[in-house]
Amino acid sequence: MKSKASTYKELNQKSDLELFQLIKQREKGALEAVFNRYYESLCRFGIAYENDLDVVQEKVSDVFIQLWNSHDRIHEIQKPKPYLYVVVKNKLMEPVSYQKLKQTLDKGVEDEYSTSPSIEQEIIDQEQREMYVRKIQEILDQIPKKSRQIFEMSRLDELKYKEISEILGVSIKTVESHMAIALRTIRNMVVKNKQF
């Protein structure tokens, strides 16, 4: 009998297509592995279509529920990663009348047990991390929205230009142009920041 840890490790080593086939066979661990692999990047991608992170997270979660419930059609999916992105995009572009519902339900819920670092070095490290995150965010904020989306899909989500063009419904040349804009903007901001 295999331990849960070894099964988890084995599932994480499988390709997306293999995991989708296991989902077809109703293997919950395979769905969890796909979820863990793509949830964060799909949420980041979804922000380009919906500014409310709660709505994005809900829609991305719905995609995984839909994947589990439509297991009998999984054999039709040949490219799982682009498929997930396209489904998230489509879900976020659907008109929704209950977008604020989750916010209303979640209001007033606070974490009582927030902890503060007890060691000075932890505080310094946290401040440095926050400073780096702010600097990176400032640079990313200078990139035009569409170029930033394509940059994040390429660099953070590790999608190929062809996959990005299929997901967004644009030509590969358009993807290349947006990447050039993003990289030029980043380079200019880095040079500008070095001058100060």
Side-chain angles (χ1 to χ4, degrees):
M1 184 174 170
K2 293 182 180 181
S3 72
K4 187 172 183 162
S6 69
T7 303
Y8 181 76
K9 186 176 179 182
E10 288 172 12
L11 285 172
N12 280 332
Q13 293 174 348
K14 293 196 178 292
S15 73
D16 294 342
L17 207 50
E18 291 171 320
L19 289 172
F20 269 48
Q21 292 311 311
L22 289 172
I23 292 169
K24 180 178 169 41
Q25 298 168 14
R26 308 304 280 163
E27 173 62 48
K28 288 182 183 176
L31 180 66
E32 184 179 342
V34 173
F35 180 88
N36 291 335
R37 192 175 288 178
Y38 291 113
Y39 179 78
E40 187 177 311
S41 59
L42 289 170
C43 287
R44 188 174 49 252
F45 169 75
I47 290 294
Y49 298 97
E50 168 61 55
N51 291 329
D52 187 337
L53 182 59
D54 290 335
V55 172
V56 172
Q57 290 173 332
E58 183 180 331
K59 292 290 189 177
V60 170
S61 296
D62 288 348
V63 168
F64 288 99
I65 293 168
Q66 178 182 329
L67 182 64
W68 181 255
N69 291 336
S70 62
H71 64 93
D72 53 332
R73 293 193 321 248
I74 285 182
H75 67 278
E76 300 169 9
I77 302 166
Q78 298 302 314
K79 297 178 181 180
K81 188 174 185 177
Y83 168 81
L84 290 171
Y85 279 85
V86 169
V87 174
V88 166
K89 175 184 168 187
N90 291 342
K91 278 226 174 276
L92 287 168
M93 292 179 75
E94 291 175 351
V96 179
S97 60
Y98 60 90
Q99 290 183 355
K100 303 296 177 191
L101 177 62
K102 187 168 175 28
Q103 283 180 343
T104 306
L105 295 174
D106 290 342
K107 264 191 178 153
V109 177
E110 295 180 13
D111 185 5
E112 300 175 18
Y113 305 103
S114 62
T115 59
S116 59
S118 59
I119 301 172
E120 287 180 11
Q121 188 59 44
E122 286 182 31
I123 295 171
I124 293 168
D125 290 345
Q126 179 64 26
E127 287 176 358
Q128 283 182 326
R129 280 192 298 272
E130 289 173 4
M131 183 182 71
Y132 289 136
V133 167
R134 278 194 306 272
K135 284 184 179 181
I136 291 170
Q137 192 62 48
E138 285 174 18
I139 292 171
L140 290 177
D141 287 344
Q142 296 302 312
I143 302 172
K145 188 174 181 177
K146 192 70 166 179
S147 299
R148 178 178 173 172
Q149 178 188 23
I150 288 173
F151 174 80
E152 289 177 347
M153 291 173 74
S154 172
R155 295 301 197 261
L156 301 179
D157 302 334
E158 299 177 358
L159 290 168
K160 294 178 176 63
Y161 286 5
K162 185 175 191 301
E163 293 172 325
I164 295 169
S165 74
E166 289 172 1
I167 290 167
L168 298 178
V170 297
S171 71
I172 293 176
K173 287 285 185 198
T174 302
V175 172
E176 291 170 351
S177 296
H178 281 291
M179 279 299 293
I181 291 168
L183 293 171
R184 186 171 43 250
T185 305
I186 291 169
R187 184 173 53 248
N188 291 342
M189 287 297 294
V190 169
V191 169
K192 180 182 173 185
N193 286 335
K194 282 184 180 178
Q195 292 174 352
F196 293 107

